[in-house]
Amino acid sequence: MSRSLDKDLLAHLKADDPGRVYKDISTILTNLPENGLLEIEFLGKSHPLEPGVNYLRDEAAVAIPKLRLAQAFFVARGILQSYRDGSAMDPREAFAATAVLLLMDPEHLTAANTRKRLLISTLETSKPDELALKREKQFVDSLLTSRLYRHAKSPTLWSHRRWLLQLFAVHDISVDPQLDIKEVVMVAGIRHPRNYPAWHHARFLLDRSPGLAESIVADVKDFCLKNHTDISSWSFLIHAISRIADGEGRRKVCSSALAEVLSITDSFNWTNESIWVFLRDIATTGLISDQQAALFLALNERLASATLECSDQWRILDSARRWFEKYRLPTKSGMAE
């Protein structure tokens, strides 16, 4: 959501009590569900609410008018600025204010860093509080997976999540990385297609738990096939296959993935760049048989012959073929058939 405010919006900012609006919205963000995440979306001018109604809620689903959020933002900003004189922060008040600021602006570094300081202070002044860490993760994940276009791809929020997971490790609190990839990264990837920050976070999770590689491939491959123009997810799939420690297992997974993707590409006549960058990269690993290499070239030739020469699709196919011919590694022994 743009931070610029038009004249009509500015005219309505004083129509309601901003303090009341702030209290309602901040309460939603601090009193999170016992289980699961909030699913937040913004309402535009086409969905006006009655005076005094600051949001709509149906269990974990919350809809907040942009006007109300703008009003709450200015209140939250004033609260945070009131601590600039060095006075001690009230943790509850500061957590609420920074939550509103990050909902309005996911790149609000001051808000993110303030939450870091508050969380560290909480953990230092008392014995490790697992609930405090899990609540912060729940809040961040709610922003990343909600129907909020900027939040799903926010470098600041993904960086904050990486920092938070490192804090989990310091306090010996376990996190399921496979569940994180499926329920946070993939959902964010749907909310914002080609979501490089989200899939970069998936690499971070996999690098911390390399034994997860083989078990996560099937889920990632399914995501890629359902979102076949998403080059970031295809790139992560190649990375996951490459991290499988067992050489024979890596070869079988690579061969199986290539066979399935080739078959579906053949069925739907896919010629987009994302799919063919994946196919060419897999085909040049040296982990596939000569027979599969031949299938790759045959499919490439068939699609290229049915495509207008010098069109964008034809150039994609031609580039994939030339890449394969230039960079293909020799087939490993025992894989000729």
Side-chain angles (χ1 to χ4, degrees), residues 215-232:
S215 61
I216 199 64
V217 164
D219 292 327
V220 178
K221 181 182 62 180
D222 289 345
F223 179 94
C224 292
L225 291 173
K226 293 174 183 176
N227 304 272
H228 69 280
T229 61
D230 192 323
I231 194 167
S232 295

Side-chain angles (χ1 to χ4, degrees), residues 147-256:
R147 301 177 187 279
L148 308 172
Y149 192 73
R150 290 181 61 221
H151 296 67
K153 201 175 182 179
S154 165
T156 298
L157 291 179
W158 286 111
S159 175
H160 188 68
R161 193 180 198 277
R162 285 195 299 275
W163 172 87
L164 187 60
L165 291 183
Q166 291 167 344
L167 203 57
F168 270 74
V170 169
H171 292 283
D172 295 320
I173 301 173
S174 62
V175 175
D176 185 345
Q178 185 163 359
L179 194 64
D180 275 1
I181 291 175
K182 291 174 65 176
E183 296 189 354
V184 179
V185 172
M186 290 186 184
V187 173
I190 292 172
R191 302 293 189 232
H192 195 308
R194 302 175 186 85
N195 193 336
Y196 174 77
W199 290 105
H200 180 69
H201 188 78
R203 290 177 184 240
F204 166 79
L205 294 170
L206 185 56
D207 290 344
R208 286 164 56 91
S209 305
L212 175 67
E214 188 167 358
S215 61
I216 199 64
V217 164
D219 292 327
V220 178
K221 181 182 62 180
D222 289 345
F223 179 94
C224 292
L225 291 173
K226 293 174 183 176
N227 304 272
H228 69 280
T229 61
D230 192 323
I231 194 167
S232 295
S233 58
W234 285 113
S235 177
F236 176 73
L237 178 56
I238 294 174
H239 178 71
I241 293 173
S242 72
R243 293 304 305 271
I244 297 175
D246 177 64
E248 181 62 18
R250 183 167 63 252
R251 184 193 68 79
K252 288 181 179 180
V253 170
C254 182
S255 179
S256 173

Side-chain angles (χ1 to χ4, degrees), residues 80 89 91 94-95 98-99 102 106-124 132-133 136 139-140 154-167 171:
L80 199 61
M89 286 188 177
F95 270 123
T98 54
L102 286 171
E107 305 309 327
H108 201 300
L109 276 172
T110 301
N113 290 336
T114 299
R115 294 183 75 87
K116 289 182 175 70
R117 290 195 297 272
L118 289 169
L119 196 55
I120 290 174
S121 176
T122 299
L123 296 173
E124 288 178 345
L133 289 170
E136 182 68 6
F139 167 71
V140 174
S154 165
T156 298
L157 291 179
W158 286 111
S159 175
H160 188 68
R161 193 180 198 277
R162 285 195 299 275
W163 172 87
L164 187 60
L165 291 183
Q166 291 167 344
L167 203 57
H171 292 283

